[in-house]
């Protein structure tokens, strides 16, 4: 009698077709009280450091006023949340953009935590105005947030434009159609043992350098920054010219951005033409 073990199937929720996505709405319940505490802390710190009601439209709308203390929580925490999304969402392929989003998000959260600590310490100590070093730091925060946000936006826009350019190039350079292999006639002959290969010829063939490795070293030797990896360049060239892969496929396979693949192929084009000419 055969016994079927259902333990592994029962432990795996997808075994019974339960493929429901994980809901993110509970995070809203966690974030609501944190939002209130962070908002009040930043506004209180802003009032201690000179932020307060201003009239941004004098002579146009004299009665219109804005409390600039609200700009601190809106700018700092919003940027930190969006940078975390850029870093962790997986929708950005460029390593440089993800790395910048990672460190700027961590830095924003660290600054936010420091601001909350400073406010509560001063409030508990009965300060009516913040010390001047704290005021200087807090006054610089809006400018810092604007700079980080603009830099991240430029990186994301640059990657989107690069992807569009790569798709355009791939559209003009479509995948090659599969060609049926020709049928070769086979002649019947007497079964004779193959001659033993010459060891000298084997050594000569093995000593020949790989074509793409040679081309990769030429490309890397002309790189003024010296940042290209010859093995990675050779892999890109081999996949593009031998396997006829698209730039997007090569980028996903090797782990680089499509723009890097495009720049590598562009840099290798004159060297490849020179090698073809000198054959």
């Amino acid at each position: 009698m055969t016994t079927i073990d259902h333990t592994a199937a029962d432990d795996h929720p997808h075994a019974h077709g339960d493929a429901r996505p994980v809901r993110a709405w509970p995070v809203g319940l966690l974030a609501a009280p944190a939002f209130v505490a962070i908002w009040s802390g930043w506004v209180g710190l802003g009032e201690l450091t000179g932020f307060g009601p201003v009239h941004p439209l004098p002579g146009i709308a004299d009665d219109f006023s804005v409390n600039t203390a609200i700009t601190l929580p809106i700018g700092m925490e919003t940027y930190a949340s969006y940078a975390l999304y850029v870093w962790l969402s997986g929708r950005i392929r460029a390593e440089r953009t993800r790395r910048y989003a990672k460190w700027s998000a961590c830095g924003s959260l660290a600054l936010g935590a420091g601001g909350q600590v400073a406010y509560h310490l001063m409030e508990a100590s009965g300060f009516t105005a913040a010390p001047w070093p704290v005021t200087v730091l807090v006054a610089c925060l809006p400018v810092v947030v604007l700079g980080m946000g603009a830099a991240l936006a430029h990186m994301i826009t640059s990657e989107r434009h690069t992807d569009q350019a790569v798709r355009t190039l791939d559209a003009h350079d479509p995948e090659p159609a599969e060609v049926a292999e020709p049928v070769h006639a086979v002649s019947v002959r007497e079964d004779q043992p193959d001659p033993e290969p010459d060891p000298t010829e084997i050594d000569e063939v093995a000593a020949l350098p790989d074509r793409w490795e040679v081309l990769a070293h030429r490309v890397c030797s002309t790189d003024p920054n010296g940042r290209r990896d010859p093995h990675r360049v050779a892999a890109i060239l081999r996949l593009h010219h031998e396997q006829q892969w698209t730039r997007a496929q090569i980028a996903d396979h090797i782990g680089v951005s499509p723009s890097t693949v495009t720049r590598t192929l562009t840099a290798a084009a004159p060297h490849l033409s020179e090698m073809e000419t000198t054959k």
Side-chain angles (χ1 to χ4, degrees):
M1 181 176 178
T2 305
T3 304
I4 300 175
D5 187 6
H6 298 280
T7 305
D10 292 338
D11 291 342
H12 201 289
H14 297 288
H16 301 289
D18 186 8
R20 292 175 297 177
V22 178
R23 303 297 180 185
W25 63 263
V27 179
L29 297 178
L30 302 174
F35 170 79
V36 174
I38 292 171
W39 183 279
S40 59
W42 275 119
V43 171
L45 181 61
E47 291 177 346
L48 291 176
T49 54
F51 288 79
V54 297
H55 298 277
L57 301 173
I60 300 175
D62 293 331
D63 295 333
F64 177 69
S65 65
V66 176
N67 193 327
T68 56
I70 67 172
T71 61
L72 297 175
I74 292 177
M76 182 62 65
E77 308 307 331
T78 301
Y79 175 80
S81 301
Y82 184 70
L84 283 172
Y85 170 76
V86 173
W87 170 31
L88 300 173
S89 65
R91 300 182 62 181
I92 300 297
R93 289 193 298 270
E95 179 63 27
R96 183 185 66 155
T97 305
R98 290 199 305 268
R99 185 168 57 248
Y100 176 82
K102 169 187 174 180
W103 290 112
S104 61
C106 294
S108 298
L109 293 174
L111 283 174
Q116 298 295 317
V117 170
Y119 167 70
H120 287 289
L121 287 176
M122 289 186 293
E123 184 69 18
S125 301
F127 279 71
T128 57
W132 72 264
V134 177
T135 302
V136 170
L137 178 61
V138 174
C140 294
L141 289 181
V143 181
V144 173
V145 172
L146 175 62
M148 292 191 301
L152 184 59
H154 286 309
M155 290 181 178
I156 295 173
T157 304
S158 175
E159 177 169 343
R160 185 169 67 249
H161 290 169
T162 301
D163 290 345
Q164 291 175 353
V166 169
R167 285 194 294 268
T168 302
L169 290 174
D170 288 339
H172 293 288
D173 186 17
E175 295 291 327
E178 294 185 1
V179 180
E181 295 184 0
V183 178
H184 301 281
V186 180
S187 60
V188 180
R189 60 183 178 83
E190 294 184 3
D191 200 7
Q192 296 180 354
D194 293 332
E196 292 293 330
D198 188 357
T200 306
E201 295 180 357
I202 295 179
D203 294 339
E204 291 178 354
V205 173
L208 291 176
D210 180 71
R211 176 191 184 190
W212 305 118
E213 293 287 345
V214 173
L215 182 57
H217 281 285
R218 290 188 182 181
V219 173
C220 295
S221 64
T222 58
D223 181 14
N225 298 321
R227 294 182 297 181
R228 287 195 173 103
D229 180 12
H231 300 293
R232 179 174 292 179
V233 172
I236 292 174
L237 296 172
R238 188 176 294 107
L239 291 174
H240 179 73
H241 293 286
E242 292 185 0
Q243 305 299 327
Q244 303 298 323
W245 283 21
T246 65
R247 294 166 178 82
Q249 290 174 325
I250 297 173
D252 291 337
H253 179 72
I254 296 183
V256 298
S257 64
S259 60
T260 301
V261 177
T262 301
R263 288 194 298 269
T264 302
L265 295 176
T266 303
H271 299 284
L272 181 60
S273 301
E274 182 181 350
M275 291 178 65
E276 294 290 343
T277 312
T278 56
K279 275 186 176 181

